[in-house]
Amino acid sequence: MKHIRVPALSMVFTVLCLLSGLLVGAPGWAASPIQDKYQAVGGPAGILGAAIGGEKCGLAGGGCYQDYQRGQIHWTPATGARATWGAVGTLWQQQGWEQGRLGYAVTDEVCGLVRSGCYQSFQGGQIHWSPASGAQQTVWGAIRNRWAGGGFESGPLGYPAAAERCGLRAGGCYQAFQGGQVHWAPGIGAYATGGSIDYVWGTLGWENGRLGYPLTEEVCAGDAGCTQNFQGGTLAWLPSTGVTVTFNQPGEYQRVINKRNPLSPIDYAPSDLVNVGGQALRYQAALGFWQFSDAASASGVPVTVVSAFRSYATQASLYNSYVAMYGQERADTISARPGFSEHQSGLAVDIGNPGGVCGLQECFAHTAAGQFAANRAHEFGFIVRYPAGMSYWTGYAYEPWHLRYVGKDVAMDMHRRGIATLEQYYGYSPAPGY
């Protein structure tokens, strides 16, 4: 049975249907578009079988329909009369009939496709069927357009093998096809993956892994093999070697500085330092911090600068003081040795609250300034460099006040992908010790 429709027509609507010739079996009245379509598909001896009840109107868009033993015919002024039956009709029913995203059918079912397939077009997309894949809803929008651009079912992707699935990282969606997959995400677009490259991408965590979403299609060049670019690197396939992975490397503002990766030279000092709240930052980092500070202030959250650039000599003096107070083992969890400090790069800044509430303490995370940093620093090119629970990767205890400038593109991408540390983002080994 169909889903609940208008149970009965009012007398006025019945009269209107009579005047328009839409009621069935009334002697002397012209045949309706639904009856014309029914006869065109073979009448009682055809694929739909005998009628079950009469026509019913009052659907969305001025539509009417009639049930038959093996299907239905729907009619609207915009689409005309279209028959649905079999696996395609069943899937359309599961998608909510005309009230679902597919809307009304705009063509009849068309067969004769490759591998004995059939399809039917609807206002919001298509349903394809083949003996191998069954009936699968063809995705609307960007994924469908990508599939169409590759030749529909005649292309390398073949028929859809499953319905579109959404809810991926960063609002993404994907659909599986016989010959691969198509992934889509806002601001990125829809790209197909298949074969060995798709397999290796999957072993690395799909879009949740370090590579992220694909940014291009796979490009092949004969004996030179095939390559495909992703957010975090490139996958390349050669007949002789299979698939190799090349991850993106950090740039000038993304350098990974930790206990395994010192600055070079060891006494490095940047040449483009500018004053920020009585401290110094590299110019690009300063621009980002001024934007961050202005946005915090506009939100009613004043932020102060506690510490920023420290020279090699200053870092040596600070580190030695911690060693004297706590011993070297404890000092190495809260302070970097000279030459290994992010502060020496001019890209790190420690922030605080006016009045010093929870200054350089974990409770800073619960202050307004700490929450603003945690929730919005990425918008201005900063990350909380030493997150909670990540000491194994970073080598340092949780520091919710320590912001590191990496540029907006990387900071936003890390936030979207839920990657907490630069070590993980760039594929570096954990650095718990020197």
Side-chain angles (χ1 to χ4, degrees):
M1 297 295 291
K2 293 183 71 63
H3 59 77
I4 297 175
R5 309 286 195 175
V6 178
L9 300 175
S10 68
M11 183 62 70
V12 173
F13 192 76
T14 302
V15 171
L16 290 175
C17 285
L18 285 167
L19 291 176
S20 62
L22 290 177
L23 287 182
V24 180
W29 294 99
S32 74
I34 287 180
Q35 290 306 303
D36 289 342
K37 174 61 69 174
Y38 181 51
Q39 295 304 317
V41 297
I47 194 167
L48 292 176
I52 302 174
E55 293 181 26
K56 299 178 179 62
C57 295
L59 305 186
C64 302
Y65 77 98
Q66 186 164 9
D67 283 320
Y68 299 87
Q69 289 176 312
R70 293 183 291 276
Q72 299 83 30
I73 296 176
H74 284 72
W75 171 90
T76 74
T79 63
R82 305 297 177 186
T84 54
W85 64 81
V88 171
T90 297
L91 184 55
W92 183 46
Q93 173 186 359
Q94 294 170 354
Q95 296 296 326
W97 304 104
E98 77 285 345
Q99 297 175 29
R101 190 171 177 181
L102 284 172
Y104 286 101
V106 296
T107 70
D108 294 320
E109 187 171 309
V110 178
C111 293
L113 305 184
V114 296
R115 297 182 291 281
S116 303
C118 302
Y119 80 95
Q120 187 162 10
S121 294
F122 296 79
Q123 291 171 312
Q126 295 173 311
I127 294 175
H128 279 67
W129 174 91
S130 76
S133 66
Q136 303 294 343
Q137 181 176 322
T138 300
V139 187
W140 34 75
I143 289 181
R144 180 193 176 278
N145 291 342
R146 168 59 188 86
W147 182 52
F152 290 106
E153 71 284 344
S154 297
L157 286 171
Y159 285 97
E164 180 184 300
R165 297 286 185 270
C166 293
L168 305 186
R169 181 186 60 76
C173 302
Y174 81 100
Q175 185 163 11
F177 294 80
Q178 291 174 317
Q181 304 181 81
V182 176
H183 281 72
W184 169 89
I188 295 174
Y191 296 100
T193 55
S196 297
I197 285 180
D198 181 66
Y199 173 78
V200 172
W201 181 44
T203 66
L204 295 171
W206 305 113
E207 74 284 348
N208 293 312
R210 185 180 169 193
L211 284 175
Y213 284 102
L215 297 178
T216 67
E217 295 294 332
E218 182 177 314
V219 177
C220 297
D223 293 340
C226 303
T227 61
Q228 188 162 11
N229 295 328
F230 294 78
Q231 289 177 302
T234 300
L235 291 176
W237 174 86
L238 285 172
S240 58
T241 60
V243 178
T244 58
V245 185
T246 303
F247 291 114
N248 292 340
Q249 295 303 306
E252 178 183 5
Y253 297 110
Q254 295 81 39
R255 61 170 66 182
V256 179
I257 306 163
N258 58 29
K259 295 175 180 179
R260 304 282 174 83
N261 297 280
L263 289 155
S264 180
I266 199 74
D267 60 351
Y268 168 84
S271 60
D272 59 345
L273 294 171
V274 296
N275 185 285
V276 176
Q279 298 287 326
L281 281 174
R282 291 192 62 183
Y283 180 68
Q284 288 297 328
L287 290 179
F289 184 80
W290 288 327
Q291 294 171 351
F292 168 82
S293 179
D294 288 346
S297 180
S299 300
V301 183
V303 174
T304 61
V305 177
V306 177
S307 179
F309 169 72
R310 299 177 197 147
S311 68
Y312 179 90
T314 300
Q315 188 65 32
S317 176
L318 180 65
Y319 174 77
N320 290 334
S321 70
Y322 282 125
V323 171
M325 284 189 289
Y326 305 113
Q328 188 170 48
E329 183 177 354
R330 170 62 175 156
D332 280 340
T333 67
I334 58 176
S335 178
R337 297 177 185 179
F340 294 80
S341 172
E342 287 211 322
H343 284 283
Q344 192 179 323
S345 73
L347 299 172
V349 56
D350 293 338
I351 62 172
N353 292 288
V357 177
C358 287
L360 304 183
Q361 300 175 61
E362 286 192 12
C363 61
F364 177 77
H366 305 295
T367 68
Q371 291 175 356
F372 186 87
N375 295 329
R376 297 193 57 189
H378 61 278
E379 298 174 22
F380 309 96
F382 289 91
I383 61 171
V384 176
R385 180 63 176 99
Y386 305 126
M390 289 293 168
S391 296
Y392 169 73
W393 285 94
T394 66
Y396 296 102
Y398 178 34
E399 294 188 359
W401 61 86
H402 181 104
L403 303 185
R404 163 65 193 276
Y405 182 78
V406 294
K408 288 184 181 180
D409 289 345
V410 170
M412 293 287 286
D413 191 43
M414 289 179 67
H415 177 78
R416 284 192 298 262
R417 295 165 63 182
I419 299 176
T421 72
L422 284 177
E423 286 80 8
Q424 293 166 296
Y425 187 75
Y426 285 110
Y428 279 55
S429 298
Y434 290 95

